[in-house]
Amino acid sequence: MSTTRTARLLPWSTPDGNPCFLLGDGQGYLSRVADRIESVQLDMAGELLDHATDMLADRKVTPDQLRFVLARMSEALRDVHRIAESRGARMPVPDADEEEDAASRPAEVSP
């Protein structure tokens, strides 16, 4: 696998909304802070999803309540999307030989 380092997209922005990036080996203090923030964001998105499911099952929910939860879900989806972009960009890129080897192997099937 290629070990080319890429900048990590951090889970926060500058005060004027621009993305923040970090160069490093992924082991430093700022990387650990970013990992914790991403973990919190993912947990909050899961809890919000459960809350939205409950609200959708409740026929007494008002349009304002649904609008509020939809706004929070939009924020959570934005966070989750950013985390996915950041993690995907840091995945190692397979060498051409490894891609050919993987293509010639049969796919693994779990029982």
Side-chain angles (χ1 to χ4, degrees):
M1 301 250 169
S2 174
T3 56
T4 304
R5 281 195 335 189
T6 59
R8 176 182 182 168
L9 175 63
L10 295 171
W12 57 81
S13 302
T14 64
D16 42 335
N18 293 318
C20 292
F21 294 91
L22 174 66
L23 286 175
D25 61 5
Q27 304 300 315
Y29 173 75
L30 224 68
S31 290
R32 290 190 304 275
V33 169
D35 289 343
R36 283 193 298 271
I37 289 173
E38 286 179 354
S39 179
V40 167
Q41 288 173 325
L42 291 171
D43 288 345
M44 289 173 61
E47 290 174 16
L48 183 58
L49 192 56
D50 291 342
H51 181 62
T53 300
D54 292 342
M55 287 184 75
L56 289 172
D58 182 357
R59 298 252 181 223
K60 296 177 186 174
V61 173
T62 68
D64 286 341
Q65 290 171 316
L66 288 174
R67 195 172 297 110
F68 180 81
V69 80
L70 183 58
R72 303 297 73 80
M73 288 184 75
S74 177
E75 293 165 359
L77 182 57
R78 191 174 297 112
D79 291 342
V80 170
H81 182 261
R82 184 183 195 103
I83 292 167
E85 280 187 45
S86 178
R87 292 182 181 182
R90 290 180 280 138
M91 290 181 71
V93 177
D95 295 331
D97 293 338
E98 291 176 354
E99 286 181 5
E100 289 174 14
D101 290 344
S104 65
R105 286 191 301 257
E108 293 182 28
V109 177
S110 348

